[in-house]
């Protein structure tokens, strides 16, 4: 029985298997990079929203409510 290192057919099969694994690894890396990029965009968007809300709160505004919402109803 020959070892894989001396059998050209076995060596070629191992090379093909490694190339297939490399192709899958490259594809996975691209997918992960896209996911990280999208998550970073979401983080930056949320950080901007949070900053805007903090600025509104510091300015005395109530986020999401009109000034009319603070008025007493007419029956009081």
């Amino acid at each position: 029985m020959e070892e894989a290192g001396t059998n050209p057919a076995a060596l070629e099969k191992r090379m093909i298997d490694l190339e297939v694994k490399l192709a899958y690894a490259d594809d996975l890396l691209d997918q992960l990079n896209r996911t990280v990029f999208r998550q970073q965009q979401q983080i930056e968007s949320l950080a901007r929203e949070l900053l805007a809300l903090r600025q509104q709160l510091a300015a005395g505004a109530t986020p999401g409510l009109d000034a009319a919402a603070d008025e007493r109803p007419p029956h009081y």
Side-chain angles (χ1 to χ4, degrees):
M1 182 154 117
E2 294 183 36
E3 291 183 25
T6 59
N7 184 347
L11 185 59
E12 184 175 348
K13 181 183 179 329
R14 287 181 63 201
M15 288 293 291
I16 291 171
D17 289 345
L18 288 172
E19 288 173 348
V20 168
K21 286 181 181 182
L22 178 62
Y24 280 116
D26 281 344
D27 183 54
L28 179 61
L29 181 61
D30 288 340
Q31 290 178 22
L32 291 172
N33 281 335
R34 286 191 297 270
T35 299
V36 169
F37 178 74
R38 282 192 309 270
Q39 287 178 340
Q40 184 61 38
Q41 287 180 318
Q42 289 175 330
I43 290 169
E44 290 170 0
S45 174
L46 291 170
R48 284 190 300 271
E49 282 185 51
L50 181 60
L51 179 62
L53 289 172
R54 284 181 176 167
Q55 288 172 343
Q56 287 178 4
L57 194 58
T62 306
L65 297 179
D66 297 327
D70 290 334
E71 293 180 12
R72 296 179 93 175
H75 62 278
Y76 277 106

